[in-house]
Amino acid sequence: MIDEKRIEREAFFSQEQISEWCLCLYVFFLPFFIKLSVVALTLLLVNAILNRNFSVWKKNLFKEKIFLFLILFYVWHIIGLLYSQNLNYALFDLQVKLSFLLVPVIFSEVKLTDKSFDKIKIFFIAGCALSFFISLANSIILYLKEHWFADFYYNHFSLFNHPTYITIYVNIALLLDRKS
């Protein structure tokens, strides 16, 4: 028989630490490298599935009204799939909205302390800053080649995401930094 206490003590990272680092990587890569951000979110989901007590998980999932709302939103889109004439677009739309289903599942059991939340804030702010400085360097290089001021505005400046997303990320980073 395996001694679970011994294995738990010998583990290099605890389940909470893995969740915390996956969240840090997720928010760090979100502003400028979406694919790595999705990988971090997937690792977080795998960690949540492998290390959870499903009865507690299910109870926590339906206890929070916001989680229930997000799940119902996704189910509503699945029902809408039945009425769609363009099945390819409908499936793509479900894929895009998959985070509305995954986020409640993942976060229903993630426990964040103030210290871990502060670490996640720092990673998000650092990711936004790195995204900004890379975009700025790219715009400067393009400006030096072409002498076109438009390289510093809107789509030309926003190298990684649509400018609306970058604006949202930067505003959230400023708000988080303000509350520090």
Side-chain angles (χ1 to χ4, degrees):
M1 183 160 172
I2 299 174
D3 183 15
E4 290 181 23
K5 294 275 188 192
R6 187 177 58 86
I7 291 175
E8 193 173 302
R9 276 181 272 149
E10 290 177 4
F12 189 70
F13 288 111
S14 71
Q15 171 190 349
E16 288 80 17
Q17 288 173 319
I18 293 171
S19 294
E20 182 180 318
W21 281 107
C22 287
L23 272 172
C24 287
L25 292 174
Y26 171 69
V27 298
F28 178 76
F29 288 119
L30 191 61
F32 67 94
F33 200 10
I34 297 295
K35 291 183 181 184
L36 276 179
S37 183
V38 171
V39 169
L41 193 61
T42 304
L43 290 173
L44 189 61
L45 178 64
V46 168
N47 184 50
I49 290 171
L50 292 178
N51 296 306
R52 300 293 185 231
N53 180 343
F54 285 103
S55 61
V56 173
W57 191 27
K58 192 167 59 171
K59 186 179 92 175
N60 288 344
L61 185 64
F62 293 109
K63 186 171 66 173
E64 294 291 329
K65 289 181 177 139
I66 189 71
F67 290 160
L68 189 59
F69 174 74
L70 292 172
I71 292 169
L72 289 174
F73 179 76
Y74 192 76
V75 169
W76 182 260
H77 278 82
I78 291 173
I79 293 169
L81 179 73
L82 300 173
Y83 297 101
S84 177
Q85 293 178 356
N86 186 349
L87 191 60
N88 287 335
Y89 180 77
L91 291 173
F92 174 74
D93 192 44
L94 281 180
Q95 178 186 353
V96 168
K97 290 179 176 53
L98 188 60
S99 62
F100 285 105
L101 182 65
L102 293 181
V103 167
V105 169
I106 292 170
F107 289 99
S108 65
E109 204 44 40
V110 172
K111 304 282 189 257
L112 290 178
T113 63
D114 288 340
K115 185 179 176 183
S116 61
F117 185 70
D118 288 342
K119 185 188 296 185
I120 291 167
K121 284 192 323 187
I122 290 168
F123 271 81
F124 182 70
I125 293 168
C128 288
L130 183 62
S131 170
F132 172 77
F133 287 121
I134 292 172
S135 295
L136 181 63
N138 181 61
S139 292
I140 290 170
I141 291 168
L142 290 176
Y143 176 75
L144 292 175
K145 286 181 183 177
E146 303 167 3
H147 300 290
W148 194 39
F149 279 111
D151 290 325
F152 292 97
Y153 298 107
Y154 199 57
N155 283 336
H156 300 283
F157 182 79
S158 183
L159 190 60
F160 303 105
N161 290 311
H162 190 274
T164 306
Y165 288 107
I166 295 299
T167 302
I168 292 169
Y169 296 150
V170 168
N171 282 322
I172 291 171
L174 290 171
L175 181 66
L176 291 174
D177 187 48
R178 180 102 172 127
K179 289 187 174 186
S180 295

